[in-house]
Amino acid sequence: MKDPVYKLIELTGTSTTSVEEAVDGAIKRANKTVKNLRWFEVIETRGSIEKGKVQHWQVTIKVGFAVED
């Protein structure tokens, strides 16, 4: 590939454990149906609170993948 062209998709991963697990889950799921994943950028991090503790993480990411010729 000489000069690659990329397309972006936006995903939101979730986890009861961590931000990293939410990101990893979103990327693993996208990898099942999208080819040539190359990079990601965290856009937004949020979560829910229950009884004074983080209950659930939600992380929105942009994922770039190379467009095939």
Side-chain angles (χ1 to χ4, degrees), residues 6-45:
Y6 297 98
K7 181 169 177 71
L8 293 174
I9 55 174
E10 192 169 286
L11 305 168
T12 300
T14 63
S15 171
T16 56
T17 306
S18 69
V19 170
E20 291 84 2
E21 190 174 282
V23 170
D24 192 50
I27 291 170
K28 283 181 180 176
R29 177 61 184 87
N31 193 54
K32 290 181 180 181
T33 57
V34 180
K35 297 178 185 177
N36 303 318
L37 297 177
R38 295 291 187 252
W39 53 269
F40 73 93
E41 173 185 2
V42 174
I43 302 301
E44 184 175 31
T45 304

Side-chain angles (χ1 to χ4, degrees), residues 41-58:
E41 173 185 2
V42 174
I43 302 301
E44 184 175 31
T45 304
R46 59 188 172 274
S48 61
I49 302 167
E50 190 173 308
K51 297 180 183 178
K53 293 186 177 183
V54 174
Q55 182 66 31
H56 211 92
W57 293 98
Q58 286 187 336

